[in-house]
Amino acid sequence: NAGVMQNPRHLVRRRGQEARLRCSPMKGHSHVYWYRQLPEEGLKFMVYLQKENIIDESGMPKERFSAEFPKEGPSILRIQQVVRGDSAAYFCASSPSEGWNQPQHFGDGTRLSIL
Amino acid sequence: DQQVKQNSPSLSVQEGRISILNCDYTNSMFDYFLWYKKYPAEGPTFLISISSIKDKNEDGRFTVFLNKSAKHLSLHIVPSQPGDSAVYFCASGGTSYGKLTFGQGTILTVHP
């Protein structure tokens, strides 16, 4: 009964490179969410996706960041031309649907470090 | 604009006693609330949730209380155990589909 799987767990990139973070939701979950946690802060919502659709991207920076959840395969959070300020822990969560009685379940995150 | 606030960065409690973690929110559009526990280098783990139509929800040692008029919720853990030592986040949802707004977290330390 696998939970939400994120990979890689740690990712090191140099400034200007691209970072790709992957998330496989729990079995039976079709809703995926991405959050970012900066040091000493809480998690900040980035984007909410269902299969092949972006439902809410109000937390995504307008430039360099994109997300997808294709019909087949994991959800991908892509950061182009990374900068030092992108260093953070990125968490993916999934749920079978929306609402208080369908809590989001989180993966263990990808720690992104920018050199 | 911090819509969900956990004003206590840390809390220290003796094993067996009650732990009370507090959370305040400002957005009256929130209609459900959740508590998560997080260990270092792991993702948040769901603990308990409550809908805005209720004022209390209980699950084993964990009880969440909601005071809508005060825009305040609290998590009670009784009895506290050393394994409960972690960062606790409250989160609110309902303003838009799927989006959760998190507080900054409270570090709970339970001493044996």
Side-chain angles (χ1 to χ4, degrees):
Chain A
N1 187 21
V4 177
M5 303 300 293
Q6 289 189 249
N7 68 82
R9 291 295 308 276
H10 301 274
L11 182 61
V12 180
R13 286 286 177 265
R14 296 188 180 280
R15 281 178 293 172
Q17 291 184 319
E18 178 180 288
R20 281 186 179 235
L21 288 63
R22 294 174 183 77
C23 170
S24 296
M26 286 180 69
K27 187 175 181 181
H29 288 193
S30 58
H31 299 239
V32 167
Y33 317 81
W34 287 93
Y35 294 82
R36 176 166 65 175
Q37 184 182 26
L38 296 171
E40 310 300 326
E41 294 187 12
L43 283 73
K44 297 283 197 290
F45 170 81
M46 298 181 74
V47 62
Y48 163 35
L49 310 102
Q50 296 178 24
K51 284 285 188 182
E52 300 184 279
N53 284 304
I54 296 175
I55 307 302
D56 182 351
E57 56 181 349
S58 58
M60 285 270 276
K62 293 288 184 276
E63 298 179 352
R64 302 187 298 108
F65 285 72
S66 62
E68 62 176 7
F69 189 16
K71 187 176 180 181
E72 302 290 338
S75 175
I76 306 286
L77 179 67
R78 182 183 178 203
I79 311 172
Q80 295 178 290
Q81 300 174 336
V82 296
V83 301
R84 287 258 170 86
D86 297 332
S87 295
Y90 292 82
F91 291 97
C92 170
S94 72
S95 67
S97 62
E98 300 149 2
W100 73 277
N101 59 345
Q102 300 289 346
Q104 296 176 23
H105 295 270
F106 284 80
D108 285 338
T110 294
R111 271 109 189 126
L112 175 64
S113 298
I114 309 301
L115 301 179
Chain B
D1 178 23
Q2 192 73 32
Q3 296 188 65
V4 178
K5 286 186 179 179
Q6 294 175 254
N7 291 316
S8 298
S10 62
L11 175 67
S12 184
V13 171
Q14 203 69 29
E15 180 179 8
R17 306 294 290 268
I18 186 170
S19 296
I20 301 177
L21 298 109
N22 294 302
C23 180
D24 297 296
Y25 62 95
T26 57
N27 193 332
S28 56
M29 297 296 291
F30 289 139
D31 63 9
Y32 62 94
F33 306 87
L34 309 91
W35 284 94
Y36 285 85
K37 176 171 75 173
K38 186 180 181 304
Y39 295 118
E42 293 185 10
T45 300
F46 169 73
L47 281 175
I48 192 168
S49 63
I50 188 167
S51 164
S52 61
I53 62 173
K54 302 179 112 180
D55 55 20
K56 177 183 174 181
N57 190 25
E58 191 172 353
D59 184 1
R61 295 186 298 116
F62 302 93
T63 302
V64 56
F65 295 92
L66 176 62
N67 182 335
K68 280 190 297 182
S69 61
K71 294 191 175 67
H72 177 82
L73 64 152
S74 61
L75 175 68
H76 292 210
I77 307 172
V78 55
S80 301
Q81 300 172 353
D84 295 330
S85 297
V87 181
Y88 287 78
F89 291 98
C90 69
S92 304
T95 56
S96 63
Y97 291 121
K99 174 181 177 179
L100 291 180
T101 301
F102 281 81
Q104 312 95 302
T106 296
I107 301 170
L108 173 65
T109 305
V110 180
H111 298 283

